[in-house]
Amino acid sequence: MDYAELRSALQKPILSDQRVNILRGITQHVNNAHTHHAGRDLVIRALAVLDSFEESQRAVLMTLVRNVGLFPYLSETIATADVADQLAFELHRPDNADSAIVFHSLQARIYHQLLRGTNVVLSASTSSGKSLVTDEIVASEKFRKIVIVVPTLSLIDETRRRLLRRFGERCSIITHPSQKAQAERITVYVLTQERVLSREDLADTQFFVIDEFYKINLATEKGSDRAIDLNLAFHKLAKTGAQFYLLGPNIEAIKGLDRYEHHFIPSEFSTVAVDVVNLNLPTHGDARDAGLLELCKTLDGPTIIYCQSPGSASQVAKLLIERGGLARHDAASDAVHWIAEKYDPDWIVAHALEHGIGIHHGGVPRALQQYFIRLFNSRRIRFLVCTSTIIEGVNTVAKNVIVYDRRKSRGVLEHFTYKNIEGRAGRMNEYFVGRVFVLESPPDDKSFTVEFPLGVQNAGTPMSLLLDLSSEDLQPLSKQRVDDLFASSSLSPITLRANRHVPWEVQEAIANEIRARLPEVQPLLAWTVTATLPTRASAARTIVGRMSSPRRSVVFVSDCYRTTHQCRCTARSRRNPAAMQRRTHRHGRRQWDRSCAECRQQTRPIRP
């Protein structure tokens, strides 16, 4: 039997006379180097229907589980296994007395390479448990100072809580700039790239981890100041001589890392199987909505629904509320009332939660995002409607994934992002086979290469990256570009570097504006005491007028809000700070207007 035939047979009720032939076919795939990966997939599918096999046949299947390296799946049967299987099982435990973890074969390989001092760059699926290795390296106590770089503040919180549960008594977990290391304890920093760059106590780092390291790639993170900062954070930590472990999914190759000895491991290893169904529905019209509603009515298990934008997510949630046949949900009724009271009773997030739907995107406050994830993972809500924020290391437990849009924001969804979303389906020991439903046609298959720009500097390397490098780290062309900038600019190198995320032409324009209007603007720029909002706003107008793109516009009033109040005034739109809306509203963190007396009364002075 070939792979397709075996896969089809495992999806149907298995007759007694088919069992031996199925196991024989799976064994042939597992023992063939060319089909070993497909064999692992078939083993996982067989585990999903384990009750269909007799006891003696299950023993054969457990042997196949060992052969494909899925040792965690042996935990419940290892006591009755033979000595060889028990020895292999124990060899896949980490060398930590307090650990009950059993690695699968890829995790064990990475773990032992890191203990031997190898720099590892790992590309593996979401379900492979890459971060588990990090925890066991911390537990090994080989390193006294460790830095874990994560892309978002929510991931800082999630990682901090996970580490504190296990290592709180023996490690200092540092996440905030105000925290200081304790020399007598192991120190683990959990930081974003910006916080790495702001700290001055990382020179003696011994080991560092970058999660979602693909965000270092400037070709796909175009115009991203955060990508620049991630490159600089990597460079800052790697220059200390610290060992590193870089994690990411679905990466075919890397470039620009030749300066450091490393082992790149692109792996197809997975602990779950995935069924993908492409429905190829048209983008426009009602077909997609009808397909979504039909799926949501028939699917069982927790389901993630991917949408291209916050607006699309709100529309999908509204569609499910109005036409999905979802009853009111009592599991989070207290949270529904709290959201209605503290934010807005008409907010779609409150209505959605009332019907068992969580909404997860950048416009939802971080605390609520994390709360919805916990509800979803504990099966207290059935649906999680989200944007691409869900792929940034957020830990989810989903049986199904529905890709409603084949776009990300206004562009077509890249194959790399699509594969990351697809990887959210299935969960080890819970959902052996995940299911992915793509309503439109899937993106074209395309390989993904991560390029470290510091190793391949050229005429297109952003100046904001080069300005923060020392002379010995600049290649000749880059050094000439930086020297030419310093020679032609009226601003000092210190000023250009301090504002490196603002194009140097814009910095020059702002400086010229200030020089031309110095008597007028000097009082606004020479603060000796806490600045009031009008003072800061006046200074801001001088600068904002010279910013070169809307993306870099600064809304200074967003920092001034401290308390909520109810009033009727002209409020700034949360999505477009320049737009004005007149309505009765409860002021949020980005809603303030100086024409409203209540706004002025509730606002406290802010520091420059």
Side-chain angles (χ1 to χ4, degrees):
M1 300 175 72
D2 62 19
Y3 171 78
E5 292 172 331
L6 289 165
R7 176 172 168 170
S8 177
L10 290 168
Q11 292 174 333
K12 305 172 183 176
I14 300 175
L15 302 177
S16 58
D17 59 349
Q18 293 180 311
R19 298 167 185 161
V20 173
N21 286 335
I22 289 174
L23 289 175
R24 182 183 294 114
I26 296 175
T27 302
Q28 291 171 349
H29 279 74
V30 168
N31 291 337
N32 186 326
H34 298 292
T35 60
H36 185 77
H37 176 67
R40 182 186 301 111
D41 181 84
L42 292 170
V43 168
I44 295 169
R45 293 175 185 276
L47 287 172
V49 292
L50 185 62
D51 292 341
S52 300
F53 295 94
E54 296 177 354
E55 186 173 348
S56 59
Q57 295 164 342
R58 294 177 193 175
V60 174
L61 184 55
M62 289 303 114
T63 299
L64 293 173
V65 168
R66 171 194 166 184
N67 289 345
V68 297
L70 293 168
F71 290 92
Y73 282 131
L74 294 175
S75 298
E76 294 184 3
T77 61
I78 195 63
T80 59
D82 60 30
V83 174
D85 284 350
Q86 290 186 14
L87 286 175
F89 183 84
E90 293 302 323
L91 286 172
H92 282 74
R93 291 189 186 275
D95 302 332
N96 306 314
D98 70 333
S99 179
I101 296 297
V102 176
F103 289 140
H104 56 62
S105 57
L106 177 63
Q107 289 171 323
R109 175 186 175 189
I110 303 304
Y111 173 74
H112 290 294
Q113 285 194 349
L114 292 173
L115 286 183
R116 290 195 297 267
T118 304
N119 294 322
V120 174
V121 183
L122 175 62
S123 169
S125 67
T126 303
S127 66
S128 63
K130 301 180 290 292
S131 297
L132 181 63
V133 177
T134 301
D135 292 4
E136 296 306 321
I137 291 296
V138 174
S140 73
E141 300 187 0
K142 177 180 179 180
F143 305 105
R144 301 294 299 177
K145 180 173 279 193
I146 297 171
V147 178
I148 301 174
V149 185
V150 296
T152 63
L153 294 176
S154 60
L155 265 179
I156 285 183
D157 291 340
E158 182 178 314
T159 306
R160 174 186 58 83
R161 288 195 300 268
R162 187 185 79 233
L163 294 176
L164 281 174
R165 280 194 298 268
R166 183 172 176 189
F167 305 113
E169 295 184 358
R170 51 177 163 154
C171 297
S172 294
I173 312 298
I174 293 181
T175 62
H176 194 269
S178 63
Q179 292 176 277
K180 303 297 182 183
Q182 301 177 29
E184 68 277 7
R185 306 185 77 192
I186 294 174
T187 304
V188 181
Y189 297 83
V190 185
L191 310 169
T192 58
Q193 53 264 44
E194 293 84 1
R195 293 186 180 185
V196 169
L197 296 177
S198 69
R199 295 201 71 102
E200 299 179 354
D201 57 348
L202 304 180
D204 55 345
T205 299
Q206 297 174 307
F207 178 71
F208 70 93
V209 179
I210 297 184
D211 196 9
E212 312 293 348
F213 82 93
Y214 63 85
K215 291 180 176 292
I216 228 164
N217 192 55
L218 297 182
T220 51
E221 304 289 326
K222 294 179 180 178
S224 171
D225 295 339
R226 301 205 71 217
I228 299 292
D229 286 345
L230 184 57
N231 276 278
L232 293 172
F234 170 78
H235 181 64
K236 175 179 178 176
L237 295 170
K239 278 193 69 173
T240 66
Q243 183 183 345
F244 58 77
Y245 176 35
L246 310 184
L247 316 175
N250 307 311
I251 297 161
E252 300 281 337
I254 57 174
K255 295 180 180 179
L257 204 56
D258 299 338
R259 177 174 178 176
Y260 305 99
E261 291 187 8
H262 66 278
H263 188 189
F264 175 53
I265 303 175
S267 176
E268 294 182 318
F269 194 99
S270 180
T271 59
V272 298
V274 178
D275 288 334
V276 180
V277 179
N278 297 317
L279 299 179
N280 296 310
L281 300 176
T283 300
H284 304 291
D286 297 330
R288 269 196 308 152
D289 288 352
L292 174 65
L293 291 170
E294 182 63 26
L295 285 172
C296 291
K297 290 176 182 178
T298 57
L299 291 177
D300 63 307
T303 301
I304 291 174
I305 303 174
Y306 167 79
C307 302
Q308 70 181 78
S309 65
S312 178
S314 296
Q315 291 172 5
V316 164
K318 185 177 180 181
L319 175 69
L320 293 178
I321 293 169
E322 295 178 348
R323 298 169 54 191
L326 303 178
R328 291 188 180 273
H329 205 70
D330 295 330
S333 57
D334 290 343
V336 171
H337 295 150
W338 185 88
I339 293 171
E341 178 186 353
K342 299 298 182 182
Y343 291 90
D344 189 332
D346 295 327
W347 194 17
I348 185 63
V349 171
H351 288 309
L353 187 59
E354 192 174 17
H355 290 80
I357 304 168
I359 296 181
H360 190 289
H361 58 67
V364 176
R366 182 158 46 95
L368 289 180
Q369 291 182 35
Q370 295 170 347
Y371 177 67
F372 295 155
I373 291 292
R374 289 197 297 272
L375 289 178
F376 183 75
N377 288 345
S378 62
R379 300 184 184 85
R380 294 172 63 191
I381 59 175
R382 184 179 161 199
F383 297 104
L384 187 66
V385 181
C386 65
T387 61
S388 59
T389 55
I390 203 69
I391 70 172
E392 295 185 334
V394 179
N395 187 27
T396 54
V397 181
K399 183 177 183 179
N400 313 299
V401 171
I402 300 174
V403 182
Y404 178 78
D405 293 310
R406 71 184 301 267
R407 291 162 296 284
K408 179 181 178 183
S409 189
R410 296 183 179 179
V412 176
L413 191 67
E414 318 94 10
H415 184 261
F416 173 76
T417 304
Y418 163 71
K419 293 297 290 185
N420 286 351
I421 297 168
E422 180 186 296
R424 293 286 159 183
R427 181 76 171 190
M428 179 186 281
N429 283 322
E430 292 189 63
Y431 304 113
F432 293 93
V433 181
R435 296 177 294 181
V436 178
F437 299 87
V438 186
L439 299 188
E440 302 179 75
S441 58
D444 296 333
D445 193 351
K446 184 182 292 186
S447 62
F448 185 73
T449 298
V450 172
E451 185 175 276
F452 289 74
L454 292 175
V456 285
Q457 297 172 30
N458 53 45
T461 303
M463 187 61 70
S464 56
L465 176 62
L466 301 179
L467 282 172
D468 224 42
L469 300 178
S470 60
S471 181
E472 63 267 21
D473 294 320
L474 294 171
Q475 295 176 4
L477 175 61
S478 299
K479 188 175 187 305
Q480 186 62 50
R481 290 177 62 199
V482 172
D483 289 344
D484 290 346
L485 172 60
F486 289 161
S488 62
S489 176
S490 65
L491 301 173
S492 69
I494 294 176
T495 299
L496 291 169
R497 287 188 173 113
N499 300 287
R500 58 187 172 77
H501 285 317
V502 178
W504 68 269
E505 302 95 332
V506 178
Q507 293 190 52
E508 287 285 348
I510 294 173
N512 291 335
E513 179 83 3
I514 292 173
R515 293 188 189 106
R517 299 172 53 198
L518 191 58
E520 174 188 349
V521 301
Q522 187 172 15
L524 301 176
L525 303 178
W527 299 335
T528 56
V529 295
T530 300
T532 62
L533 179 68
T535 300
R536 189 166 183 172
S538 298
R541 279 193 290 273
T542 301
I543 298 173
V544 172
R546 288 292 179 174
M547 301 299 275
S548 63
S549 79
R551 181 179 65 81
R552 296 185 181 276
S553 294
V554 182
V555 184
F556 289 86
V557 296
S558 67
D559 293 331
C560 71
Y561 170 79
R562 293 296 180 272
T563 60
T564 62
H565 62 286
Q566 187 82 27
C567 70
R568 180 172 180 82
C569 73
T570 303
R572 294 187 183 275
S573 167
R574 300 180 78 177
R575 291 191 182 177
N576 181 6
M580 308 301 287
Q581 303 173 8
R582 177 165 290 281
R583 62 186 178 91
T584 300
H585 65 93
R586 179 178 295 278
H587 281 278
R589 186 170 293 275
R590 299 185 187 280
Q591 294 175 316
W592 188 92
D593 188 75
R594 60 181 175 177
S595 65
C596 168
E598 292 184 52
C599 285
R600 292 197 302 272
Q601 183 179 0
Q602 294 291 337
T603 301
R604 299 178 186 176
I606 51 179
R607 295 185 181 278

